[in-house]
Amino acid sequence: MGHVDGAVLAIDQGTSNSKALLVSPSGTIIGQASAPVAIAYPHTAWVEQDPNLIWASVQSAIDACLAPHPNLPIAALAISNQRESALVWERTTGKAIGPCITWQCRRTAPFCLELTAQGLEPLLRQRTGLTIDPLFSASKFHWLLHAIPEGKERAANGELCLGTVDSWLLWNLTGGQLHACDMSNAARTQLFNLHTQQWDPELLAIFEIPAEALPTIYPSSALYGTTVALGALPAEIPIGALIGDSHAALYGHAGFQPGAIKATYGTGSSLMTPVKTPIISDKGLSTTVAWATQSGVTYALEGNISVTGAAVTWLCQLLNLETEQVEALATQVDNAGGVYLVPAFVGLGAPHWQENARGLITGLTRASSAAHLARATLEAIAYQVRDVFDLMQVEIVQQESSQEATGQPLRVLLADGGASRNHLLMQLQSDILATPILCSESPDVSALGAAYLAGLATGIWSNEAEIAALPRAQERFEPQMDETTRATAYAGWQQAIARTLLA
């Protein structure tokens, strides 16, 4: 172990709530609290949050987490955050201007279609590893600057700060002393060049983003500065890590090496696997920076699924259920009875990237019941994960054959996130993948990953081998479905997807 005493205070700022955790040098969570964050839907497919409420929720979570531990020394602070969400604030006052446009928001779809029509997709994919889509931050920054009177001019003059949520929290935690982001969040903006590891001037010109407004890029694990006193949070706490929540989850699983793959089951889902060099995929997957430490940059192949846990939320609203009732309802039947749900409520993400696709239920008969629909909803999550998992296997095998043997087959799926608490879903996932699942019993893997990175920067842990040796409670699920049933069920899913894409 390292030689630094004290806990890490890890902030996990998510879409629906902000969490604060205290993590001991032994890797144990010794304190935690959360506070909700409101989400607004001002127009169809528009999703936004109030930046001030995001910050207030973080402050509330910190205060509630620290209150029972007034004498506990805090050795470092870490941040994991909802990714791609974008906002702007004044440099002199720190006042947010306009909303935080969240990752779910599709308001920039027309602008993205313009970029595609200009033939810019190959350039953007090659430079950033990302397809053109409203998910990523650059089009949101463009929208915000055009919505602010003289926004572009003010940004170019250094009057405005553009940032993702990690930058906003860092700015406030340091009392406006530091405008920075980490490399994982920068890599999700579509302004970051994977090859130079810097903001790309040509991409800034395409999106009309002045470089003067953007944050300085740091490694994910680094000494960013120190806190100012805020409520129960003392001054002079070293800030040792910023990282996007999906990347943090992979780090929290200790998935440091190629061959590891995790799926986070949240509102949507992210599958991510580390790779040694960027893989520029033409199959609907993204390449990104997994994290950066003093040892260098680790890249990742990622697939972003737009709707997974949100499909369960929809079902609960439709059938007037509580979330925990869905599993019990779905277990009333042995299978979905030929019913398939494609939850394309906001289009389809990886690997299809079809903005105009919409949800579909197919295979209904007079015998179909609420239980069949509940099971179909859980199966839809597992099928979408398989779509991405299988493509990742293909890309990694191709990398292995085209370069030195660096690709590692994906043999076990690491699972985390709220929907991973559903045991039936995890069993279905193992069955549909024909792969074992190692499900974290902690709901806070992203916060743990950020804490590990901050501890690495501040000397709590000396290296990743020490972090990998920390205890992690996991539940294992083994595939039980026979191959014929699996193949038939997945073929039905592919037919349902094809119907959705034709609609």
Side-chain angles (χ1 to χ4, degrees):
M1 288 289 174
H3 304 290
V4 175
D5 293 325
V8 179
L9 174 62
I11 298 164
D12 182 18
Q13 203 299 298
T15 310
S16 57
N17 61 64
S18 298
K19 298 179 181 178
L21 278 73
L22 285 166
V23 182
S24 74
S26 66
T28 305
I29 296 172
I30 56 178
Q32 60 191 105
S34 67
V37 186
I39 305 173
Y41 306 90
H43 302 289
T44 301
W46 287 35
V47 191
E48 64 187 42
Q49 294 179 299
D50 183 333
N52 297 311
L53 294 181
I54 291 175
W55 172 235
S57 73
V58 169
Q59 289 181 287
S60 295
I62 290 173
D63 287 348
C65 181
L66 294 181
H69 308 277
N71 300 315
L72 180 71
I74 300 175
L77 185 144
I79 296 170
S80 72
N81 60 282
Q82 57 168 306
R83 304 179 305 160
E84 297 106 12
S85 300
L87 64 158
V88 59
W89 64 94
E90 290 181 336
R91 191 178 294 270
T92 54
T93 65
K95 177 185 176 184
I97 305 176
C100 175
I101 304 177
T102 78
W103 59 273
Q104 296 168 293
C105 188
R106 312 301 290 178
R107 74 183 67 188
T108 63
F111 176 66
C112 290
L113 289 173
E114 290 176 19
L115 298 181
T116 303
Q118 292 171 32
L120 292 168
E121 176 88 31
L123 171 67
L124 286 166
R125 186 185 295 278
Q126 181 61 39
R127 296 275 180 90
T128 71
L130 309 174
T131 188
I132 295 176
D133 191 83
L135 170 66
F136 306 113
S137 312
S139 65
K140 306 179 201 295
F141 289 148
H142 177 272
W143 189 96
L144 284 163
L145 288 185
H146 280 74
I148 298 167
E150 300 181 341
K152 186 179 175 183
E153 293 75 13
R154 293 186 67 193
N157 290 335
E159 297 175 33
L160 301 180
C161 295
L162 289 167
T164 43
V165 170
D166 60 323
S167 300
W168 173 238
L169 300 185
L170 181 68
W171 175 271
N172 284 286
L173 287 163
T174 61
Q177 295 302 303
L178 190 57
H179 184 33
C181 70
D182 96 291
M183 208 175 284
S184 75
N185 278 289
R188 304 299 294 178
T189 62
Q190 208 153 48
L191 301 172
F192 177 84
N193 187 315
L194 284 176
H195 312 287
T196 65
Q197 298 172 8
Q198 297 292 334
W199 301 125
D200 187 292
E202 189 173 357
L203 301 181
L204 298 185
I206 289 170
F207 287 96
E208 301 180 278
I209 306 298
E212 294 80 0
L214 290 172
T216 304
I217 302 171
Y218 278 61
S220 312
S221 176
L223 294 175
Y224 281 81
T226 58
T227 61
V228 295
L230 292 160
L233 180 68
E236 303 300 321
I237 302 298
I239 299 171
L242 307 184
I243 185 168
D245 53 9
S246 186
H247 315 247
L250 182 59
Y251 205 89
H253 282 290
F256 305 139
Q257 301 299 323
I261 179 171
K262 70 89 201 177
T264 298
Y265 296 81
T267 302
S269 285
S270 158
L271 273 75
M272 187 179 286
T273 183
V275 292
K276 292 190 175 180
T277 57
I279 299 174
I280 305 304
S281 171
D282 60 358
K283 297 180 175 65
L285 303 178
S286 300
T287 297
T288 191
V289 171
W291 49 75
T293 68
Q294 299 307 313
S295 301
V297 178
T298 297
Y299 295 94
L301 194 62
E302 182 176 15
N304 297 102
I305 303 167
S306 300
V307 174
T308 52
V312 176
T313 303
W314 168 83
L315 182 77
C316 289
Q317 293 169 341
L318 180 72
L319 301 180
N320 194 26
L321 299 172
E322 298 296 328
T323 303
E324 56 271 15
Q325 294 176 294
V326 173
E327 182 174 1
L329 180 61
T331 55
Q332 291 178 11
V333 291
D334 293 331
N335 55 64
V339 177
Y340 290 88
L341 165 68
V342 181
F345 303 148
V346 290
L348 286 171
H352 312 287
W353 295 107
Q354 289 293 324
E355 160 74 20
N356 295 321
R358 288 297 176 261
L360 176 86
I361 301 172
T362 185
L364 291 172
T365 69
R366 184 63 185 83
S368 300
S369 67
H372 290 109
L373 183 57
R375 195 173 185 100
T377 301
L378 297 182
E379 289 181 352
I381 297 173
Y383 288 134
Q384 289 183 100
V385 168
R386 176 171 170 179
D387 288 345
V388 174
F389 186 95
D390 286 356
L391 275 182
M392 283 187 168
Q393 289 277 29
V394 170
E395 290 282 25
I396 287 167
V397 169
Q398 287 182 351
Q399 182 198 35
E400 187 173 30
S401 61
S402 64
Q403 304 175 19
E404 66 273 16
T406 57
Q408 297 292 324
L410 309 174
R411 294 194 174 95
V412 176
L413 180 68
L414 304 167
D416 63 88
S420 69
R421 308 275 76 75
N422 186 310
H423 285 202
L424 175 59
L425 172 59
M426 291 297 96
Q427 185 58 56
L428 287 169
Q429 188 68 83
S430 180
D431 288 342
I432 288 167
L433 285 179
T435 299
I437 308 295
L438 275 179
C439 181
S440 173
E441 293 186 4
S442 170
D444 302 306
V445 180
S446 292
L448 284 171
Y452 296 158
L453 286 160
L456 202 60
T458 55
I460 295 173
W461 299 291
S462 300
N463 51 53
E464 288 179 346
E466 283 189 2
I467 293 170
L470 296 173
R472 283 173 194 82
Q474 295 174 316
E475 185 171 2
R476 189 178 181 96
F477 296 83
E478 294 282 351
Q480 299 173 359
M481 186 180 288
D482 67 84
E483 184 54 42
T484 300
T485 303
R486 179 184 301 113
T488 301
Y490 189 58
W493 166 256
Q494 292 174 308
Q495 290 174 0
I497 284 283
R499 290 176 177 175
T500 305
L501 296 175
L502 287 172

